[in-house]
Amino acid sequence: VGPVEREGLDALATGVAVLKMRRGSPAARLGFEAGDIIRVVNGATVAATKDLKKTVQAGRKSWEIRIERHGKTMDFVFRG
């Protein structure tokens, strides 16, 4: 993953772009795809990779994630 600005995407947008997806990885099994832009996790705006890491390390039992894929906003809820 990488910051949206660095990857040549919309410089006014915030989020972290998924650059590559390893087949069989946890993210791939959850349905993420290369090119997805992670915008919000559990209500917190994700502006940089460090924001995403901090949120993921919080160790929650459920996750609400908003991404942008091909210009469309998508919301996911994961439990477990």
Side-chain angles (χ1 to χ4, degrees):
V1 294
V4 169
E5 324 65 65
R6 189 180 77 212
E7 301 310 322
L9 302 168
D10 183 354
L12 298 176
T14 59
V16 173
V18 178
L19 303 178
K20 297 178 185 176
M21 186 61 57
R22 236 180 327 163
R23 200 158 103 199
S25 70
R29 289 193 308 267
L30 291 172
F32 290 96
E33 298 177 4
D36 286 350
I37 302 171
I38 302 168
R39 303 278 189 201
V40 178
V41 177
N42 293 335
T45 300
V46 175
T49 307
K50 67 178 180 167
D51 300 328
L52 182 60
K53 287 180 182 178
K54 180 179 169 184
T55 303
V56 169
Q57 291 172 347
R60 305 232 347 200
K61 292 187 179 189
S62 67
W63 300 88
E64 297 176 22
I65 301 174
R66 174 168 287 164
I67 67 163
E68 182 180 319
R69 180 181 290 162
H70 307 296
K72 296 181 182 174
T73 300
M74 303 173 72
D75 292 313
F76 293 97
V77 177
F78 302 105
R79 302 189 196 296

